[in-house]
Amino acid sequence: MDRISTLPDEIIACVLSCLTTKEAVATSILSRRWRHLYWLTDKVELHGPKVKKRSCDSLVDPVNRVIMFRGGAPIKKFILDASDAKLASIASHVDVWIRAAMFRGLQELELFSGWPGALALPLSLWKHEQLTKLTLSLSERVRKPQQIKYVESARLPRLRSLKFKGMALTAEFINQIFTSSPFLEDVTLDNCYWTGGVRHLCSKSLRRLCLFNHEDKHEVNTIIDAPSLIYFNYSGELRVDYTIENLNSLSKADIILDCDYFNSQAVGKFLAGIDMAKDVSLFGFRLEWLKNEDVNDPFDELSIFGNLRKLELGYMLQVEWDMLLDLLYSRPLLEALVFEEIDCESILPEEELDRFPPNLKVKPWETSTRIHTRTL
């Protein structure tokens, strides 16, 4: 007898939980003892095939077998990747599967859909108090946002991770989730279609926030208040107003602006809100946007990011070297400067190296499209 088969069921369950459900089920042919051991795992992870014909049995039948016919075995984690399944008929089964998983103690739900139209979710999901992680993601090949059903008073008191991609949402709904989730730590809102009033992304526990808005005409004004936030990532056009407050713990910020549209006043207000960041990446910017228009002292005009230790600049609309030098000399804590994808006509002139602050040791090297300068 092989050594693995002699292990206790609990140990084998831990091993099987490292596999996808399809791989775990495949072990049932090894022997009688292994026939139902995969039911001991508390994770169900299924990846649907590409569905080109009208029948969706190739996805529905396996899910039914591992969820509906597992008796009272718990399901703490349910991952369904149907992003390649183009049939909307699959959506009618999603509600039943999620209800069954919730009945068995669901804590983490990750659903990747590939069909247009509404996403059938049980309304009780938004009051499932055991839920700690929720991911709802729509395939990028589906152009229209996906509608989801939700209740007016969502309550997810144990939720720690929330990720929405391609969903049609209201500001009021996301506000309810933030209000009812005191342990929320990680939030990603990726190209969602927004309606309603003002988004209040306010949380004392939030540590990571990613906002991707490549179609900002569907954005809404936003207030961010997160004193524990460590990482902030924004990509979009800043067509709407952002009020950012109390990011006193912010360590790293990655900001990408769409150069087709920008409002310098909105950009200045946005950057002032992430002023405490120590590691900053700015793509699609002008250096002049780092100015603080409220400061009268011309020697302290570039007053944003006073704690800066690393600065990365990329896809710059233009590079004003005198302004860059002013920035470097006014940041005594700055240790590293990186240029990415700078226009070749704006490559750092060799003679400018002598003007760099002595405490900022740099080593430039050039390729056809980029130049990097880093500390030695």
Side-chain angles (χ1 to χ4, degrees):
M1 182 180 292
D2 62 277
R3 293 183 178 181
I4 294 181
S5 295
T6 63
L7 295 173
D9 290 351
E10 293 77 9
I11 302 299
I12 295 179
C14 291
V15 175
L16 293 178
S17 66
C18 298
L19 307 176
T20 65
T21 299
K22 181 179 180 180
E23 295 168 336
V25 171
T27 64
S28 63
I29 66 174
L30 295 177
S31 67
R32 284 186 178 181
R33 180 167 183 263
W34 284 81
R35 184 172 300 173
H36 301 298
L37 284 180
Y38 71 90
W39 280 353
L40 296 177
T41 65
D42 56 11
K43 180 185 75 170
V44 174
E45 180 179 355
L46 291 167
H47 299 265
K50 293 183 179 180
V51 180
K52 297 182 180 180
K53 55 184 179 179
R54 293 193 174 184
S55 174
C56 58
D57 293 343
S58 58
L59 178 60
V60 173
D61 289 346
V63 178
N64 283 337
R65 284 197 297 270
V66 299
I67 292 183
M68 307 302 292
F69 308 130
R70 61 188 290 122
I75 300 177
K76 293 184 179 180
K77 188 173 186 177
F78 179 28
I79 302 174
L80 177 61
D81 186 352
S83 55
D84 288 327
K86 301 180 181 180
L87 295 178
S89 56
I90 295 175
S92 62
H93 299 272
V94 172
D95 179 275
V96 177
W97 294 336
I98 295 177
R99 287 179 185 273
M102 291 169 57
F103 179 76
R104 292 167 174 81
L106 180 66
Q107 295 180 5
E108 299 183 18
L109 173 62
E110 299 180 41
L111 178 59
F112 303 87
S113 65
W115 57 87
L119 180 59
L121 298 174
L123 293 179
S124 56
L125 175 66
W126 307 111
K127 294 187 178 182
H128 185 56
E129 296 189 358
Q130 294 174 275
L131 197 65
T132 61
K133 180 177 182 179
L134 177 61
T135 297
L136 301 178
S137 178
L138 179 65
S139 173
E140 293 182 356
R141 61 179 174 76
V142 181
R143 295 299 181 182
K144 293 184 178 180
Q146 193 154 54
Q147 303 289 333
I148 59 175
K149 295 181 179 180
Y150 46 81
V151 296
E152 295 182 358
S153 56
R155 186 175 184 273
L156 301 171
R158 298 184 183 179
L159 190 66
R160 293 182 179 272
S161 175
L162 176 68
K163 297 180 181 179
F164 288 146
K165 180 179 181 181
M167 300 291 122
L169 303 168
T170 66
E172 291 75 15
F173 174 64
I174 199 68
N175 295 348
Q176 291 171 8
I177 293 182
F178 268 76
T179 301
S180 68
S181 305
F183 301 108
L184 196 59
E185 296 179 350
D186 186 355
V187 174
T188 297
L189 304 175
D190 187 352
N191 289 308
C192 293
Y193 187 105
W194 294 96
T195 57
V198 179
R199 287 187 306 188
H200 290 264
L201 308 183
C202 304
S203 171
K204 295 181 179 180
S205 59
L206 192 64
R207 299 173 63 85
R208 178 183 174 90
L209 177 62
C210 299
L211 303 176
F212 307 129
N213 306 293
H214 300 301
E215 296 184 5
D216 290 72
K217 60 184 179 181
H218 303 312
E219 261 249 86
V220 291
N221 293 340
T222 302
I223 297 175
I224 301 175
D225 188 339
S228 299
L229 194 69
I230 295 176
Y231 176 71
F232 180 47
N233 188 350
Y234 176 87
S235 178
E237 298 180 352
L238 279 180
R239 287 180 179 266
V240 297
D241 181 66
Y242 274 79
T243 301
I244 304 177
E245 303 172 340
N246 299 323
L247 302 193
N248 300 325
S249 301
L250 188 62
S251 178
K252 181 170 176 57
D254 294 327
I255 311 299
I256 301 177
L257 283 190
D258 190 331
C259 296
D260 293 337
Y261 174 89
F262 59 86
N263 182 317
S264 58
Q265 184 176 1
V267 172
K269 180 181 179 182
F270 182 88
L271 293 178
I274 60 174
D275 176 62
M276 299 300 293
K278 301 177 179 64
D279 184 345
V280 179
S281 296
L282 303 176
F283 285 71
F285 276 77
R286 296 180 187 272
L287 285 177
E288 63 188 30
W289 291 347
L290 299 182
K291 291 182 179 181
N292 189 332
E293 302 296 341
D294 297 329
V295 177
N296 296 322
D297 185 353
F299 297 101
D300 193 32
E301 195 175 34
L302 293 165
S303 60
I304 296 179
F305 302 129
N307 298 321
L308 198 61
R309 294 182 180 273
K310 180 182 178 181
L311 175 63
E312 181 176 356
L313 301 173
Y315 303 111
M316 300 295 291
L317 299 182
Q318 64 186 59
V319 180
E320 304 93 343
W321 296 113
D322 288 338
M323 188 172 293
L324 175 61
L325 288 169
D326 290 341
L327 173 66
L328 298 181
Y329 274 102
S330 63
R331 299 298 180 275
L333 300 178
L334 188 63
E335 298 173 352
L337 176 65
V338 182
F339 289 97
E340 297 280 358
E341 302 295 343
I342 299 295
D343 189 333
C344 290
E345 296 180 358
S346 302
I347 289 297
L348 179 65
E350 289 292 334
E351 60 271 16
E352 297 290 351
L353 285 174
D354 295 334
R355 301 173 59 191
F356 272 61
N359 64 304
L360 184 67
K361 297 180 180 180
V362 296
K363 179 182 179 181
W365 65 92
E366 181 179 345
T367 65
S368 59
T369 61
R370 68 176 64 183
I371 179 170
H372 302 260
T373 59
R374 303 180 187 273
T375 54
L376 294 175

